Amino acid sequence: IVVCPDAPYNGTYFFENPGGDAKSPVFKPAKRLSQGTPNVTPSYVDGKLIVMTPAAEFPNFTRTGLTTIPFNEA
């Protein structure tokens, strides 16, 4: 996953390495998932992907990227 919040490539992109070779990866063309936003941080809790910005969590990231209104724990 690569997030670019700036022009000209603003977006969230998924790059897949179908061969799984970490030393010499060959990626498929990128798939754009959603718009980009600054300061995105992925984490794993109990094996589940959690995607956050400094004040928001995106619980449906794997389905909707960063397009939905995030859940804020204020």
Side-chain angles (χ1 to χ4, degrees):
I1 302 289
V2 174
V3 178
C4 178
D6 303 318
Y9 299 106
N10 180 290
T12 301
Y13 299 89
F14 173 71
F15 291 85
E16 181 180 2
N17 177 9
D21 185 356
K23 280 190 168 184
S24 299
V26 177
F27 294 101
K28 288 183 176 182
K31 294 180 184 177
R32 188 173 193 276
L33 302 176
S34 66
Q35 83 276 2
T37 191
N39 302 317
V40 175
T41 303
S43 185
Y44 287 89
V45 176
D46 296 329
K48 179 183 174 194
L49 174 66
I50 306 295
V51 177
M52 298 171 285
T53 59
E57 179 181 342
F58 295 85
N60 297 317
F61 177 80
T62 56
R63 289 187 310 228
T64 61
L66 302 171
T67 59
T68 59
I69 299 172
F71 172 73
N72 293 312
E73 292 188 0

